[in-house]
Amino acid sequence: MKTLHRFILKSYIGPLVMTFFITMFVLLMQFLWKYIDDLVGKGLGWDVIAELLLYASAGLLPMALPLATLLASLMTMGNLGENNELLAMKSAGISLPRILTPLIVLTIFISVGAFFFSNNVLPYTNLKISTLLYSVKQQKPELIIKEGVFTNLIEGYSIKVGDKDPNTGLMRRILIYDHSKDEENTTVTYADSGYMKPTADQKFLVATLYSGNSYKEVRDNRKPRYSYKEKLPAQKQTFEKEVIIFELKGFELQRADESFFKDSYQTQNIAQLEKTEDSLSKAFNTQIESFSQHVIRSSIFRNPYWGRRQNDVKVTRSLNVDSLYNTLPPVEKISALERAMEFARSTKSYVSSSKDEFFYKQKYIARHMIEWHRKFTLAFACFVFFFIGAPLGAIIRKGGLGTPVVISVLFFIIYYIINITGEKFARELYWTPFVGMWISSFILLPLGIFLSYKATTDSVIMNADFYIEKVKKLFSFSTTRKKHTELSPKTE
């Protein structure tokens, strides 16, 4: 039996590793496509790109691992069934649950590992990738000087190049406006040709100019800055070669402070989420109580001494509003109605604004609970998908990457749509976080139990030949009945 278990594990681990990396590669390509606009043209080094992909891979594991489990179990059992190895095991008196025992144990270990990964590793990687993505988005675009267009990426300068040789990098008709001293375009440099290259550390841009002139307006510092109405004299300098060094500020990656993101619900483990949710719930309940007291004392009963007493004697008050109102003079009646309408409008406005604030805080608390349940749904999804893929592979008996991939993708799309819908409803407070996060697993779990039962009883529910034979028998029965009707004698 140990030899059989080793054989089954060996048949399963290979497809599991292969499908996991294939799935991870596809999801990484989707991630790059999503953030391609934020990454391209920023001059990021390979170390930054590799770090970003590493953290993104960790964040995509909750989607890749269940799909890999489903596809690997389906392929393994399909291969065993297609090669009649599964039939030989059953002929030897080994039941399907006993065949799946080593895979079930391995899936339990994978599920437990997935839980610890979600609780301990995923918050850390979420913090890192949030900080890195924010830093990349704030990064200035890579300094690329285009032909015929002013480049303003260098702080304090505007540069325009007539044309550029793509082979040698030689630029012609270079025009540089210097407004680094916040004095508009008082200094202009023009060169017939030249080269511009950044230093190795990307901190400076060295411009080597040939055959040009520099023009600078001469201002009188004794006069106000913007009092010049007449034309100003200019200094002209001619040069055969001139080197200008520009300081490149903001082109290196400035990493943001991680403390700005550490309080996010995505960067917390279960203990931190429970503590944060408890604090938020207490603060919310306190605010609800304060709101109700404010409405009672400031809107419904404007008298601040209403309902107060100095002892424990029960106070009963009876107030006939109509009788009290009828005792007022006409002028005071109008004044009382106007004040009542004013109080009602004020109360309505206060209730409306408080309602939006309460709804936002409830959604924020729900986000923490959703993240809390997500730690468990990843582990449970691996378990559910195994009990869908393994019996389904034993039933269809098709291996390879053809039929298993189609069926796996179909089931995963169904799971993903239900999961996304449930999470969205939970975020909008239509459902509780528990229902929203677990509904996808609870829907697919009965399907896994049903397929496991059918596979154990050698059902042909997924066998195409079974349905073809049923259709043939149906058509054969219809044809026979029609002929019998035509040949039978007619009765008067």
Side-chain angles (χ1 to χ4, degrees):
M1 188 59 65
K2 293 183 179 180
T3 305
L4 178 62
H5 287 173
R6 284 197 299 268
F7 170 72
I8 295 175
L9 285 174
K10 183 178 179 181
S11 302
Y12 177 72
I13 291 177
L16 179 64
V17 174
M18 179 188 68
T19 53
F20 174 78
F21 282 105
I22 292 176
T23 306
M24 187 65 70
F25 175 78
V26 173
L27 294 176
L28 272 179
M29 292 301 102
Q30 181 202 15
F31 171 83
L32 289 176
W33 182 259
K34 180 180 179 181
Y35 292 101
I36 191 68
D37 293 336
D38 298 321
L39 300 177
V40 173
K42 296 294 183 69
L44 301 175
W46 286 106
D47 55 338
V48 177
I49 299 295
E51 183 181 1
L52 186 64
L53 292 179
L54 176 63
Y55 294 143
S57 301
L60 294 172
L61 189 140
M63 293 180 61
L65 191 57
L67 181 57
T69 303
L70 172 63
L71 185 55
S73 58
L74 190 59
M75 289 177 57
T76 301
M77 300 308 296
N79 286 328
L80 293 177
E82 188 176 15
N83 298 329
N84 293 325
E85 294 170 333
L86 190 62
L87 180 62
M89 297 178 194
K90 291 182 178 180
S91 301
I94 305 175
S95 63
L96 183 62
R98 196 172 181 184
I99 295 173
L100 295 178
T101 299
L103 301 186
I104 294 174
V105 174
L106 179 61
T107 303
I108 292 175
F109 278 106
I110 293 176
S111 300
V112 173
F115 168 75
F116 282 102
F117 178 87
S118 297
N119 188 44
N120 300 311
V121 180
L122 198 56
Y124 174 79
T125 57
N126 285 338
L127 175 62
K128 289 294 185 180
I129 194 171
S130 299
T131 306
L132 189 55
L133 275 177
Y134 177 81
S135 304
V136 169
K137 290 179 180 179
Q138 301 301 316
Q139 171 79 355
K140 283 186 178 182
E142 187 179 9
L143 180 59
I144 300 177
I145 300 177
K146 300 180 180 179
E147 301 178 4
V149 179
F150 276 103
T151 300
N152 299 311
L153 295 176
I154 302 177
E155 185 177 349
Y157 296 90
S158 297
I159 303 175
K160 181 180 179 181
V161 174
D163 59 80
K164 182 169 57 175
D165 191 335
N167 297 323
T168 62
L170 179 65
M171 303 177 182
R172 298 182 179 85
R173 301 190 302 279
I174 303 173
L175 185 62
I176 302 174
Y177 285 96
D178 181 1
H179 43 83
S180 57
K181 298 180 180 180
D182 197 16
E183 295 181 353
E184 300 180 351
N185 297 323
T186 58
T187 303
V188 182
T189 301
Y190 175 83
D192 181 67
S193 60
Y195 296 94
M196 292 187 185
K197 295 181 179 179
T199 56
D201 55 5
Q202 300 292 322
K203 293 184 178 181
F204 299 94
L205 177 68
V206 180
T208 306
L209 309 178
Y210 301 100
S211 302
N213 302 290
S214 295
Y215 304 89
K216 182 178 181 181
E217 293 181 353
V218 180
R219 293 183 179 273
D220 189 352
N221 295 328
R222 293 173 298 178
K223 294 183 179 181
R225 181 176 178 181
Y226 297 103
S227 65
Y228 297 99
K229 295 183 180 179
E230 70 280 1
K231 295 182 178 179
L232 298 176
Q235 293 180 350
K236 178 181 178 182
Q237 295 181 351
T238 303
F239 59 85
E240 291 297 325
K241 179 181 179 181
E242 183 175 358
V243 178
I244 303 177
I245 299 177
F246 304 97
E247 184 178 3
L248 300 179
K249 297 181 179 180
F251 287 91
E252 66 278 0
L253 182 64
Q254 301 290 336
R255 293 181 180 266
D257 190 357
E258 293 182 358
S259 60
F260 295 142
F261 305 91
K262 68 178 182 179
D263 293 331
S264 173
Y265 51 87
Q266 294 180 335
T267 62
Q268 298 179 10
N269 56 29
I270 287 180
Q272 293 170 335
L273 287 171
E274 290 177 348
K275 183 179 179 180
T276 304
E277 190 273 335
D278 183 65
S279 301
L280 292 174
S281 297
K282 289 181 179 178
F284 179 75
N285 293 332
T286 302
Q287 189 174 3
I288 289 289
E289 181 66 23
S290 176
F291 165 79
S292 61
Q293 293 297 325
H294 177 80
V295 171
I296 292 173
R297 294 176 180 176
S298 302
S299 301
I300 298 178
F301 303 116
R302 304 292 293 188
N303 187 352
Y305 299 102
W306 176 271
R308 294 186 181 181
R309 56 182 183 272
Q310 300 299 328
N311 49 40
D312 296 334
V313 178
K314 185 177 181 180
V315 180
T316 59
R317 293 181 175 87
S318 61
L319 182 63
N320 192 329
V321 179
D322 293 334
S323 300
L324 183 62
Y325 176 75
N326 292 328
T327 60
L328 298 175
V331 177
E332 293 186 7
K333 286 182 179 180
I334 296 175
S335 177
L337 290 175
E338 290 178 350
R339 282 182 297 180
M341 292 178 64
E342 180 183 351
F343 294 158
R345 293 191 188 98
S346 176
T347 303
K348 181 181 178 181
S349 176
Y350 175 68
V351 171
S352 178
S353 61
S354 299
K355 177 184 176 183
D356 296 336
E357 183 180 357
F358 292 155
F359 183 69
Y360 170 77
K361 290 190 174 182
Q362 283 181 308
K363 289 176 64 175
Y364 189 63
I365 294 174
R367 292 289 182 93
H368 289 77
M369 295 306 300
I370 289 172
E371 199 64 30
W372 187 90
H373 286 287
R374 198 192 306 275
K375 310 294 184 185
F376 298 92
T377 54
L378 166 62
F380 194 71
C382 298
F383 200 73
V384 170
F385 275 127
F386 172 79
F387 279 99
I388 292 177
L392 196 59
I395 294 173
I396 63 176
R397 299 175 184 177
K398 294 290 184 181
L401 285 173
T403 304
V405 169
V406 175
I407 297 176
S408 299
V409 171
L410 178 62
F411 275 104
F412 185 77
I413 290 175
I414 295 174
Y415 169 82
Y416 186 74
I417 291 175
I418 298 174
N419 187 57
I420 291 297
T421 305
E423 183 176 343
K424 182 176 178 60
F425 283 179
R427 287 184 176 183
E428 297 299 326
L429 305 182
Y430 295 114
W431 291 349
T432 63
F434 174 80
V435 174
M437 295 303 295
W438 287 95
I439 186 171
S440 55
S441 298
F442 288 161
I443 289 177
L444 293 181
L445 181 60
L447 178 61
I449 296 174
F450 173 76
L451 292 175
S452 300
Y453 170 75
K454 288 296 183 181
T456 305
T457 56
D458 293 328
S459 174
V460 291
I461 187 174
M462 295 296 292
N463 193 341
D465 296 334
F466 171 76
Y467 295 101
I468 293 175
E469 290 296 328
K470 289 291 185 182
V471 172
K472 287 182 178 180
K473 289 181 179 180
L474 179 63
F475 278 103
S476 177
F477 175 76
S478 300
T479 304
T480 304
R481 185 175 180 180
K482 184 177 180 181
K483 290 182 178 180
H484 178 74
T485 304
E486 293 176 351
L487 296 177
S488 62
K490 295 182 179 181
T491 59
E492 296 294 338

